[in-house]
Structure formats: C-alpha cells, structure tokens
C-alpha cells in the first residue's frame, strides 16, 4: 500500500516532467526549424548574390569584348580611309599635272604620254585628260577608289553605335569620314576649271589631313 501511495505521488511529477520534456523538445524543434529556415534563406540570398555577380561579370566582359572589337574596327577603318586618301592624292596630283601641262605645253616625262600624240602636244587639254582617264593603270585606280568608297560607307554603318567611352572617338571618325568622301569625290568627279579643281583638291586634301590627325588620337 505504501508503495502504491508513493507511486501515486510520483505520477504528477512524472506527468510534469514528460510535459516539460515534450515542451523542451518542441521548443528545440521550433528552434531547429527556424535555424534551418534562416539557413535556407541565407543560402538563397548567397546564391542570388553569386548569380548577380556572375551576370555583372558577364555584362562587364561583354562590354569589354564589344569595346575591343570596336577598337579594332575603328583602327582598320581609319587605316582604310588613309590608304584611299593617299591614292586619291596621287591621282589628283597627276590630274593637275596633265591638265596644266596640256594647257601650257609643258614637257614632262610623267605626263607626256597623255599630253602628246606622236611627239606633239594635243590641241585641247580635254584630249589629254581623256587619255589619262583611259589609261589602264589610272582607270584601275579610279575603279578601286570608287569601290572603296562603298566599302568604307558600309563599315561606317557598323560604327554608328559606339560602346560607352567611345563617343568622342566616333565623332572624330564621323568628321574624318565626311572629309574622306569630300576628298575622294573631288578626284572622282573632276569638274570645273584647272584653277577651281586645284583649289578644291588642295582644300579637300588639307581638310582630310586635319581630321585624320583628330581621329588618329583614338587609335590604340
């Protein structure tokens, strides 16, 4: 009997202990669940940050690649226009020489084959200019310069949207292109009088050189 009484007195303590133990287990369970939730949130935030950094790095790399490609194309285009300008300058100088020597009957080893027929000067400078423009080498250079104009124009279209930091470079390139077209057209059209052509040619040549030095600053 005494043992039963002792046991009955222990039951409330046992129940209290079990309830307390259950409560503690539930509390620790909630704490672990909250910790796991926070860990998941931290992990998700970290993964999002990593992804954001990767996207930023890729965007930066794409920008660098675009700038690098633009720089290469810029250099090539300036070089193409310079080559054409040299060709146009040589052609224009020859036109002026033939034109002048035909009018004033000036003997010159370089122009005699255009200004003379059977050792005699042609009676009309237009005859000498036709001889020049019908010359195979000059005609080939004329065709080459004309074709190059279209190629340069197409390349300029590809340069219309410069990457960040290349705005001033594009402005200089655009000014050079306008001077390039003006200069090469002066030679290809070849109109007016000797004096007007010489003046237009000289002015266009100088303008191209001036704008070339401006564009040259952005060559790397």
């Amino acid at each position: 009997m005494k043992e039963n009484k002792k046991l009955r007195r222990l039951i409330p303590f046992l129940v209290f202990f079990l309830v307390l133990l259950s409560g503690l287990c539930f509390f620790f369970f909630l704490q672990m669940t909250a910790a796991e939730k926070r860990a998941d949130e931290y992990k998700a935030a970290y993964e999002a940050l990593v992804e954001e950094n990767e996207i930023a790095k890729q965007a930066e790399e794409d920008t660098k690649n675009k700038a690098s490609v633009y720089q290469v194309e810029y250099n090539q285009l300036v070089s193409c226009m310079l080559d054409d300008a040299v060709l146009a300058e040589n052609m224009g100088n020859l036109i002026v020489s033939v034109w002048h020597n035909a009018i004033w009957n000036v003997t010159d080893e370089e122009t005699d084959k255009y200004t003379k027929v059977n050792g005699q000067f042609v009676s009309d400078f237009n005859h000498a200019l036709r001889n020049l423009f019908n010359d195979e080498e000059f005609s080939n250079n004329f065709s080459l310069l004309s074709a190059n104009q279209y190629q340069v124009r197409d390349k300029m279209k590809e340069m219309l949207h410069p990457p960040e930091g290349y705005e001033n470079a594009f402005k200089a390139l655009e000014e050079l292109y306008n001077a390039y077209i003006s200069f090469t057209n002066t030679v290809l059209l070849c109109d007016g009088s000797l004096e007007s052509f010489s003046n237009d040619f000289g002015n266009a040549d100088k303008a191209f050189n001036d704008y070339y030095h401006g564009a040259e600053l952005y060559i790397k």
Side-chain angles (χ1 to χ4, degrees):
M1 293 293 292
K2 291 180 179 181
E3 292 179 357
N4 289 337
K5 289 181 180 180
K6 289 181 179 179
L7 183 60
R8 283 197 296 271
R9 283 197 296 269
L10 289 175
I11 288 176
F13 293 103
L14 291 174
V15 172
F16 174 76
F17 177 76
L18 290 174
V19 171
L20 178 62
L21 181 62
S22 298
L24 289 173
C25 289
F26 183 70
F27 173 77
F28 286 124
F29 172 77
L30 291 178
Q31 292 297 314
M32 291 178 63
T33 302
E36 290 177 354
K37 184 178 180 182
R38 287 195 298 272
D40 289 340
E41 290 175 348
Y42 292 152
K43 181 180 179 181
Y46 174 75
E47 290 176 347
L49 181 61
V50 170
E51 183 179 2
E52 184 178 336
N53 287 338
E54 287 298 324
I55 293 174
K57 287 181 180 178
Q58 186 61 49
E60 183 179 0
E61 189 66 25
D62 291 343
T63 300
K64 288 181 179 178
N65 290 337
K66 183 179 179 181
S68 178
V69 171
Y70 192 89
Q71 183 66 63
V72 171
E73 293 178 347
Y74 181 96
N75 296 349
Q76 291 175 346
L77 187 50
V78 171
S79 179
C80 286
M81 286 192 275
L82 178 61
D83 289 342
D84 285 349
V86 171
L87 179 60
E89 185 174 38
N90 292 334
M91 293 172 64
N93 285 332
L94 186 55
I95 290 172
V96 170
S97 295
V98 170
W99 204 333
H100 174 272
N101 293 349
I103 292 175
W104 301 104
N105 293 343
V106 176
T107 297
D108 184 283
E109 187 176 314
E110 185 181 29
T111 63
D112 283 350
K113 63 179 179 179
Y114 311 115
T115 60
K116 292 181 179 182
V117 176
N118 297 324
Q120 300 296 319
F121 282 101
V122 294
S123 59
D124 187 351
F125 68 86
N126 287 309
H127 188 176
L129 290 176
R130 281 194 299 270
N131 290 339
L132 173 62
F133 278 83
N134 288 332
D135 178 76
E136 182 178 1
E137 182 180 358
F138 190 89
S139 178
N140 289 339
N141 286 337
F142 186 97
S143 298
L144 176 63
L145 187 61
S146 180
N148 286 352
Q149 271 193 345
Y150 289 100
Q151 293 180 2
V152 169
R153 181 196 63 185
D154 291 340
K155 290 179 181 178
M156 274 297 297
K157 290 180 180 179
E158 299 174 3
M159 306 295 286
L160 290 177
H161 304 290
E164 184 178 356
Y166 280 80
E167 295 81 4
N168 290 335
F170 173 73
K171 182 178 180 181
L173 183 67
E174 188 175 34
E175 291 174 337
L176 178 64
Y177 173 72
N178 291 332
Y180 162 84
I181 290 298
S182 177
F183 183 37
T184 52
N185 275 344
T186 299
V187 174
L188 293 174
L189 298 176
C190 186
D191 57 3
S193 64
L194 172 59
E195 182 179 3
S196 65
F197 175 80
S198 296
N199 289 336
D200 292 343
F201 173 70
N203 291 335
D205 191 1
K206 182 180 183 306
F208 177 85
N209 284 324
D210 290 343
Y211 286 116
Y212 170 76
H213 291 310
E216 188 182 24
L217 295 175
Y218 299 97
I219 293 177
K220 298 179 182 178

